[in-house]
Amino acid sequence: MTWISIGKVAEFFGVTTQSIRDWTKQGRLEAIRTLGGHRRYNLEGIEKKLGFENENKKTILYSRVSAHDQKEDLVRQKQELKNYSEKHKTSNVVEISEIGSGLNYEKRGLKKLLSLILNDNVKQVVVSYKDRLMRFATQILEQVCTAKNVELVVLNERPEKKFEEVVVEDVLSVLTVYCAKIYGRRSHERRKKRQNKKRTSTGVSNSNKE
């Protein structure tokens, strides 16, 4: 029987030693104490537990498009991800698909994905293209996946573009988002003014009746 330190256990699960202490208190892991008061864990038991945890973790099939007129592309992405899942006989699959800008970090699907990863419920994330996750800052999400031992599978690589093309596309993406916000706000203000006028005119009509 081999006994290992709490630090080694934390490395196995890809979490902090504090998480291991919490799991031990919750009864999820068993430990003994050395004469010096240090926790020691049975290696064989940890390996079994780790295998069980991995079996119950999810594979996320994530697809996204930026606008409603791209629904056909969304359907294509979803089918491609399903084909990959079936080919590799993936179990415990969760599909997340949504329509929204890659610059919007408040999307419901993306927030659900991050929540599952941060709560150690994911073993693999599969996407058609890397930029389907986020338009920018994908490296941050990759680092989160690495820290949580989550495999990020990208099925397709886009052709290499010139630096100038990349910059132009990025600028256009930012402008599109902020223009949409401006137009949306103006539309909201106009709608609000119409509603106020309607209320005012209704109030005047009622007072005339009295």
Side-chain angles (χ1 to χ4, degrees):
M1 189 175 291
T2 305
W3 299 92
I4 58 176
S5 68
I6 189 172
K8 284 292 184 183
V9 177
E11 287 180 15
F12 274 121
F13 284 98
V15 298
T16 64
T17 54
Q18 184 56 52
S19 295
I20 301 301
R21 293 189 187 95
D22 293 340
W23 292 356
T24 305
K25 290 177 182 178
Q26 295 164 8
R28 294 175 60 183
L29 298 175
E30 295 182 3
I32 62 171
R33 292 276 188 173
T34 65
L35 294 176
H38 300 291
R39 290 184 176 89
R40 290 293 181 267
Y41 298 81
N42 177 255
L43 177 59
E44 290 76 10
I46 292 299
E47 288 175 341
K48 288 181 181 179
K49 182 70 175 176
L50 189 61
F52 175 78
E53 293 280 345
N54 285 335
E55 285 178 6
N56 286 275
K57 287 187 176 183
K58 299 172 175 58
T59 290
I60 309 297
L61 307 181
Y62 183 84
S63 54
R64 179 190 66 82
V65 292
S66 300
H68 287 275
D69 59 0
Q70 298 174 318
K71 282 186 177 180
E72 289 186 6
D73 183 38
L74 186 63
V75 172
R76 182 197 61 75
Q77 287 182 47
K78 291 169 68 174
Q79 188 59 54
E80 184 178 39
L81 299 179
K82 281 184 180 179
N83 291 342
Y84 172 87
S85 175
E86 291 172 359
K87 180 180 178 181
H88 292 80
K89 298 180 180 179
T90 308
S91 59
N92 210 0
V93 173
V94 174
E95 291 185 62
I96 299 178
S97 64
E98 58 186 348
I99 299 174
S101 168
L103 296 176
N104 178 10
Y105 302 140
E106 294 295 322
K107 294 188 297 293
R108 185 178 299 177
L110 180 62
K111 291 170 73 173
K112 179 180 179 181
L113 172 64
L114 285 170
S115 178
L116 288 169
I117 292 173
L118 293 174
N119 284 291
D120 298 307
N121 291 320
V122 180
K123 63 182 176 182
Q124 188 181 61
V125 176
V126 187
V127 293
S128 290
Y129 295 93
K130 190 181 292 186
D131 63 5
R132 294 304 85 197
L133 289 167
M134 292 187 289
R135 188 69 179 86
F136 302 122
T138 52
Q139 289 181 339
I140 295 176
L141 186 54
E142 287 177 342
Q143 290 176 2
V144 172
C145 288
T146 299
K148 290 294 183 178
N149 289 327
V150 175
E151 181 186 10
L152 179 58
V153 178
V154 181
L155 300 185
N156 306 294
E157 294 292 337
R158 296 193 186 279
E160 193 71 27
K161 295 180 180 179
K162 294 180 180 179
F163 174 76
E164 292 81 1
E165 292 177 324
V166 174
V167 171
V168 169
E169 286 186 1
D170 290 346
V171 171
L172 287 175
S173 297
V174 173
L175 286 175
T176 300
V177 170
Y178 281 96
C179 285
K181 286 185 177 181
I182 291 171
Y183 294 141
R185 183 175 181 179
R186 288 177 179 172
S187 176
H188 173 73
E189 289 175 351
R190 286 195 294 267
R191 187 164 56 251
K192 192 174 181 180
K193 285 180 181 179
R194 287 196 297 268
Q195 290 174 348
N196 290 337
K197 284 182 180 180
K198 188 175 180 180
R199 291 195 193 99
T200 302
S201 61
T202 303
V204 171
S205 300
N206 290 336
S207 64
N208 289 337
K209 288 180 181 180
E210 292 175 359

